[in-house]
Amino acid sequence: MSDRNDVKRYPGLGALSLLFFVYLYAPLAVVVVYSFNENRITGVWTQFSTKWYASALQNDALMDALKTSLIVAVTATVIATTIALSAALAIIRGRDLRFRRVSETVVNLPLLLPEIVLAVATLILFSLIGLQNGMLKLIIAHSAFCTPFAFLPIRARLQGMSLDFEEAASDLYASRLTVFRRVTLPLILPGLFSGAMLAFLISMDDFITSNMLSSGGTTTLPVYIFSLIRAGTSPELNAIATMLILASLILATIALLVASRGERDHE
C-alpha cells in the first residue's frame, strides 16, 4: 500500500524507473537477440540461426580461455571464501572493538582502492619475487581481491545470527569444532554460499588484473573477449556474451533460492 502512495506522491516516478531499467537492460536484450542472427554482419538481421553458438563452442582458443577462467575462479573462490570465513569468525566473535574495526578495514581495503592500483602493485610484487607461473599469479591475485566480496555476506549472516544456539551447544559440552560444524556452519551456510558465488562471479568477470598478469597459455575469458572486440564485433561474440548472461542468471537464481531458504529456516 505504501508503494502505491509513494507513486502517487511523486508523479513520474514510475515512468522514470521504467526508463532506467530499459536503459539498463536494452543493450543486453540486443546482444541476446542478435546472437541468433544468421548474418555475419552484426547489425543486419536476416533470419534466425544458432550456428554462432556452435561456432563459439568449437573455438579451441575460446574453450582454452574458458577453462583457464574456470580453474582460476574456482580455486580463488575456495581460497577467498576460506579466508573470509576465518576473518568473519575472528572479527564478529572477537571481543576487542578496536581490533574489530581495524581488521574489517584491512579486509575490505581492496574494495576501497582502484583495481588498476591493486593490479599494478601485484604486478610489481610478482616481478620483485621472481614469480613466473602465470596460472599461480592469477590465482593469488584473484584470491586477494575476491576475499572482501566473500567476506561481506558471511559477516552479515554472522551478525544476524543469535548466539543462543552456540551457547546451548557449549553448555552441552560440545567442543568448539563440534559447535562450528554442527551449529554455526549450517546457520551461516546461505551467507557462505552467497559470498562464494559473488567471489566466483567477480573472478570470472575480472579484466584489468587478468590482462596485466596473464601470459602465454593463461589467457582468461574476459581478456580473450577483449582481443576479439578489438578486431570488430561478430555474432560469435554475441553468442559468447549470451551464454555468460545465462550462466550469471542461473548462479544468481541459485544464490537467491539458497538465501531465501536459509531465511525461512532461521525463522
Side-chain angles (χ1 to χ4, degrees):
M1 189 69 182
S2 60
D3 294 338
R4 294 180 181 178
N5 292 334
D6 290 339
V7 173
K8 292 179 180 179
R9 189 180 306 169
Y10 302 103
L13 181 61
L16 183 61
S17 301
L18 179 61
L19 182 63
F20 168 77
F21 284 110
V22 169
Y23 170 78
L24 187 63
Y25 292 109
L28 298 180
V30 171
V31 168
V32 173
V33 170
Y34 276 93
S35 68
F36 296 100
N37 184 16
E38 197 264 345
N39 194 346
R40 186 167 187 84
I41 302 176
T42 305
V44 180
W45 179 272
T46 53
Q47 63 181 3
F48 181 88
S49 175
T50 59
K51 71 175 185 178
W52 300 112
Y53 287 89
S55 176
L57 294 175
Q58 293 172 2
N59 188 326
D60 293 335
L62 171 63
M63 292 295 103
D64 289 340
L66 176 60
K67 181 181 177 181
T68 300
S69 286
L70 287 174
I71 293 174
V72 172
V74 171
T75 308
T77 297
V78 173
I79 296 173
T81 305
T82 303
I83 296 173
L85 176 60
S86 303
L89 289 171
I91 292 171
I92 302 303
R93 294 294 184 260
R95 300 182 182 275
D96 190 339
L97 184 60
R98 290 176 298 177
F99 166 80
R100 180 182 303 175
R101 291 176 178 174
V102 172
S103 300
E104 285 196 32
T105 302
V106 171
V107 174
N108 293 323
L109 191 59
L111 294 176
L112 307 176
L113 296 175
E115 186 180 354
I116 185 65
V117 175
L118 290 174
V120 171
T122 305
L123 180 62
I124 294 173
L125 174 63
F126 289 156
S127 299
L128 289 176
I129 64 177
L131 184 60
Q132 300 296 329
N133 190 306
M135 185 70 72
L136 183 58
K137 289 193 294 185
L138 287 173
I139 290 174
I140 294 175
H142 281 229
S143 300
F145 68 71
C146 285
T147 297
F149 292 98
F151 172 77
L152 293 175
I154 298 174
R155 183 196 64 177
R157 187 69 180 180
L158 274 172
Q159 284 180 330
M161 189 183 77
S162 174
L163 292 175
D164 295 342
F165 302 104
E166 293 174 312
E167 292 175 351
S170 298
D171 291 340
L172 294 174
Y173 303 103
S175 64
R176 289 186 178 182
L177 181 60
T178 302
V179 171
F180 172 76
R181 184 170 56 88
R182 303 295 295 272
V183 179
T184 307
L185 186 59
L187 290 176
I188 66 172
L189 191 59
L192 188 67
F193 182 80
S194 299
M197 288 297 98
L198 185 57
F200 178 80
L201 291 175
I202 293 297
S203 177
M204 286 289 295
D205 185 57
D206 178 75
F207 170 75
I208 296 177
T209 302
S210 300
N211 188 43
M212 285 194 172
L213 299 179
S214 62
S215 56
T218 57
T219 301
T220 61
L221 188 59
V223 176
Y224 176 77
I225 291 176
F226 179 73
S227 68
L228 293 180
I229 292 176
R230 292 195 300 179
T233 58
S234 70
E236 185 175 326
L237 264 178
N238 293 336
I240 297 170
T242 301
M243 288 187 286
L244 289 176
I245 292 171
L246 179 61
S248 299
L249 288 175
I250 292 173
L251 289 176
T253 302
I254 294 174
L256 287 174
L257 291 175
V258 172
S260 61
R261 181 178 180 180
E263 290 293 336
R264 290 196 300 267
D265 294 341
H266 186 63
E267 293 175 356

